[in-house]
Amino acid sequence: MYKLLVVDDEQIVTDSIEYMVKKFMHTPIQTEVAHSGREAIEKAATGHPDFVIIDIKMPGINGLEAIREIKRENPGTLFIVISAFAKFDYAKEAIQLGVIEYLNKPLTRKSLIDALENAVNRKEQEQIKLKTELDYREKIAYARPALENSLIHCITFPGNHDAEIVSLEKILDISGGGYIMTIEIRPGKGAAEISPDLGERKVYPLLREILKEANAACVVGPLLVNRVSVFVPCAEGSTSGQRDNIMSFSAEVYRQLCKNIAGRNFRIGVGNKYTSLQCLYKSYEESIKAILSESNQPVIFFRDISDNSKQKKHFPQEEEKSILKKISCGETNAALASFENLFGWMINRYGADLSALKSAMLPLVVLIFNVSGSKSFESEENYGSNYVNSFLALQNQEAVRVWVKNLIQQVSAAMTEIREKGLSPVIKIAVDYIAQNYNKNITLEDVAGAVNVSPTYFSKVFKEEVGSTFIDYLTMLRIKKAKQLIAEGRLSNKEICNIIGYSDPNYFSRVFKKTVGATPTEYRFLLSARKADEIMGG
């Protein structure tokens, strides 16, 4: 119910307005009366009215002065001025104060009710607008982590993602350039050398919280084994000033991580700033090179190591990207040749240190699984859901080499098969997942999670490749199964409804009719009539 404050020094005016509001307004309105500007200010301070109908000429504080005071405490209140003086100066000042109506006395019922109806409509529109904005902000808040993961994936993963980057840039309200900071989580003193169950999954939410507290605008990527890449927006400025700000921020992040996350050591690599998000893959590669450098500092800025002639050769990032690209295209032999080059570099780099070799190789293994959608080999020994454990259990360098080569061959072969079927690996796995789970209460988010991509990206690619939205495709599968079960004639409509994944028979009936053109009962009757015709015809 809306609140109305009626302000006039004449009792007959306030009584008349109260009567007309109660008698002729369709919208319920609770009224309160004041007979002076001061009394109006005091009552508005406690009652917080939605609307104020106020006279201008009153003893003491006049109507316009009262409006100014009331607006300070109640900026959302709408004002209707009434006056026996049609003076231009009054009307001009009232407009400047945001008054929505200026009515001359004596009031008519129509002018008063029309003015109040207009005020109610404006208030309702404001509430609808506010609700829409809050709903949007709430949805973005829930979806933001997935959207941020998707943006970092586009920046760091090989392929042309420019269009998606532009879309995510708008959704996440990112403007200007920035740089990539990659944080590597390392086991603390006395902990195991490396393990997928190191607890990083539990560490990640805290790490994300620390980063957001340090800079709410930063974009935090997903946890990739033991690394998290972060986009940090950076304002324009001098090169020296930018470097100081970047290193100051990175050092503070490192300090907060060490302070708030026990049992872990951290190493931070920082790439150069770029003005375009489409160029940030360079900053990402630089951040990785910084982490892999020989520097003994916990925070390493790529620019500080790039001119050091004594440093060992950087990790061959291009070779890794080449392997992934060739696997995606099904070019098995070319991918294996690139891998041999990369493996040779690692042997030269790490020597007999098996732990260091596996630590350096593991991110590539994870990326290869991401190429395939990470679900293609669950039936294959050593390449199931615990593939990381299988990899880490390898006992020597040659075993690592053979294991990864076999993985490359299988993923590349699967990519060739999938490409021949016309679907990308992620969507092929998604279609199989939906086929196995269509009778459950699955959502787009569930399927996107099953193939390890963001819901936004999955929804876009699914529609492009399959030709329908996820909901339409799921509905099609369910209705197809329902038609088969109806044709068999053994189950009731309610039983079929439950079997195919719907909990409400009425909703099932509406969806069935929208899809088939007849309700389940009508469809059953049509099938029976058709069978009867066939029998009679035979």
Side-chain angles (χ1 to χ4, degrees):
M1 179 179 289
Y2 293 112
K3 294 180 181 180
L4 168 66
L5 177 61
V6 182
V7 188
D8 198 294
D9 58 334
E10 296 183 56
Q11 182 77 39
I12 188 171
V13 175
T14 56
D15 288 347
S16 297
I17 291 175
E18 279 196 292
Y19 170 77
M20 285 190 282
V21 169
K22 184 177 180 180
K23 181 76 174 177
F24 300 108
M25 281 296 294
H26 300 296
T27 304
I29 296 180
Q30 176 185 332
T31 60
E32 190 173 10
V33 169
H35 294 101
S36 69
R38 175 173 179 171
E39 186 182 2
I41 294 168
E42 291 172 346
K43 289 192 172 182
T46 56
H48 305 293
D50 298 293
F51 317 112
V52 174
I53 297 176
I54 188 167
D55 189 12
I56 288 181
K57 296 290 288 183
M58 291 183 292
I61 298 174
N62 68 34
L64 295 178
E65 293 171 329
I67 290 172
R68 289 193 195 91
E69 291 299 320
I70 293 171
K71 280 178 71 71
R72 288 194 181 97
E73 295 295 324
N74 302 273
T77 297
L78 301 179
F79 294 88
I80 299 171
V81 164
I82 56 176
S83 177
F85 302 92
K87 291 182 64 175
F88 174 75
D89 289 344
Y90 286 158
K92 181 180 177 181
E93 189 170 356
I95 291 171
Q96 291 173 342
L97 289 172
V99 171
I100 64 169
E101 296 278 357
Y102 190 102
L103 305 178
N104 290 319
K105 291 182 180 179
L107 297 175
T108 65
R109 185 186 79 185
K110 185 177 186 309
S111 64
L112 176 67
I113 298 304
D114 285 350
L116 266 178
E117 290 286 3
N118 176 46
V120 169
N121 288 336
R122 289 184 61 160
K123 183 64 71 172
E124 288 176 347
Q125 289 302 314
E126 288 175 2
Q127 291 173 347
I128 291 171
K129 182 180 178 182
L130 176 61
K131 182 180 182 303
T132 301
E133 289 177 354
L134 291 175
D135 288 345
Y136 174 77
R137 285 161 56 186
E138 186 176 48
K139 288 176 181 177
I140 290 296
Y142 279 121
R144 191 171 185 92
L147 294 171
E148 291 187 1
N149 285 356
S150 184
L151 177 61
I152 297 297
H153 178 272
C154 290
I155 291 169
T156 61
F157 200 80
N160 183 7
H161 304 293
D162 286 356
E164 188 173 2
I165 287 175
V166 170
S167 297
L168 291 167
E169 190 175 6
K170 292 178 181 178
I171 295 171
L172 294 171
D173 194 24
I174 297 170
S175 60
Y179 59 93
I180 295 293
M181 164 199 296
T182 296
I183 301 169
E184 187 172 80
I185 308 169
R186 299 184 171 188
K189 188 175 181 180
E193 53 190 30
I194 183 170
S195 166
D197 295 318
L198 234 157
E200 268 70 329
R201 291 289 170 191
K202 295 180 181 178
V203 168
Y204 177 75
L206 185 54
L207 181 147
R208 181 183 173 85
E209 183 179 333
I210 290 169
L211 287 163
K212 288 294 186 179
E213 286 183 0
N215 184 345
C218 71
V219 176
V220 185
L223 177 68
L224 182 59
V225 186
N226 65 332
R227 288 179 185 163
V228 176
S229 292
V230 184
F231 164 65
V232 184
C234 188
E236 295 297 331
S238 66
T239 302
S240 59
Q242 284 181 358
R243 184 194 180 284
D244 292 343
N245 290 336
I246 289 171
M247 292 308 294
S248 175
F249 175 74
S250 303
E252 177 59 21
V253 168
Y254 176 77
R255 191 181 72 81
Q256 290 296 330
L257 291 173
C258 295
K259 177 182 176 181
N260 293 285
I261 302 178
R264 301 289 186 277
N265 292 325
F266 301 93
R267 186 172 170 90
I268 299 178
V270 183
N272 286 317
K273 174 186 179 294
Y274 291 88
T275 57
S276 167
L277 264 65
Q278 283 78 6
C279 293
L280 276 177
Y281 70 91
K282 299 176 184 177
S283 186
Y284 166 71
E285 291 173 357
E286 291 164 355
S287 72
I288 297 299
K289 289 175 182 177
I291 282 180
L292 294 172
S293 72
E294 290 190 296
S295 172
N296 57 6
Q297 297 298 314
V299 180
I300 312 101
F301 192 17
F302 174 74
R303 190 177 299 167
D304 293 342
I305 65 167
S306 59
D307 294 328
N308 185 352
S309 60
K310 294 183 180 181
Q311 67 175 332
K312 290 191 177 181
K313 187 180 178 182
H314 286 312
F315 180 85
Q317 196 85 19
E318 291 302 318
E319 200 74 73
E320 182 180 78
K321 291 169 65 176
S322 175
I323 294 169
L324 296 171
K325 183 177 180 179
K326 288 166 183 173
I327 291 173
S328 297
C329 296
E331 299 174 7
T332 306
N333 292 333
L336 289 172
S338 293
F339 169 72
E340 290 290 2
N341 292 336
L342 178 63
F343 192 78
W345 181 91
M346 288 188 172
I347 293 298
N348 291 332
R349 175 71 173 85
Y350 301 110
D353 190 341
L354 180 63
S355 174
L357 173 66
K358 289 193 289 187
S359 179
M361 185 66 72
L362 184 55
L364 174 62
V365 170
V366 175
L367 288 172
I368 292 172
F369 267 83
N370 282 345
V371 169
S372 70
S374 76
K375 298 289 183 180
S376 298
F377 311 106
E378 291 189 347
S379 62
E380 299 287 342
E381 186 179 359
N382 297 329
Y383 299 120
S385 57
N386 293 321
Y387 69 93
V388 176
N389 287 329
S390 300
F391 174 78
L392 295 175
L394 300 172
Q395 298 297 311
N396 56 65
Q397 292 177 346
E398 183 59 20
V400 170
R401 176 177 170 274
V402 171
W403 193 95
V404 178
K405 286 187 68 174
N406 287 338
L407 173 63
I408 290 172
Q409 288 174 324
Q410 292 197 35
V411 175
S412 184
M415 292 298 296
T416 299
E417 181 182 351
I418 290 169
R419 288 169 71 87
E420 289 174 353
K421 291 181 179 179
L423 293 178
S424 67
V426 167
I427 300 305
K428 174 62 170 62
I429 295 161
V431 167
D432 291 340
Y433 179 90
I434 296 169
Q436 295 168 12
N437 297 277
Y438 74 91
N439 58 343
K440 300 174 184 175
N441 185 26
I442 58 170
T443 63
L444 183 144
E445 287 74 16
D446 294 332
V447 184
V451 294
N452 293 332
V453 298
S454 73
T456 304
Y457 177 74
F458 171 75
S459 178
K460 172 177 171 288
V461 176
F462 187 91
K463 186 172 183 180
E464 287 177 352
E465 295 194 21
V466 177
S468 67
T469 65
F470 163 77
I471 290 297
D472 289 343
Y473 184 82
L474 178 62
T475 301
M476 180 272 294
L477 280 184
R478 287 174 168 173
I479 298 304
K480 181 178 179 182
K481 183 63 176 177
K483 290 168 69 176
Q484 292 173 354
L485 294 173
I486 291 173
E488 292 174 5
R490 296 183 291 102
L491 301 173
S492 67
N493 292 342
K494 185 175 182 180
E495 289 173 324
I496 293 172
C497 168
N498 293 328
I499 287 174
I500 65 171
Y502 292 120
S503 57
D504 183 354
N506 292 327
Y507 179 73
F508 163 56
S509 181
R510 290 197 300 272
V511 173
F512 191 97
K513 183 170 184 177
K514 183 178 179 182
T515 307
V516 179
T519 66
T521 301
E522 292 169 345
Y523 184 78
R524 192 185 297 271
F525 175 78
L526 290 171
L527 289 179
S528 299
R530 189 179 302 162
K531 288 179 181 178
D533 289 342
E534 290 173 356
I535 293 172
M536 294 297 291

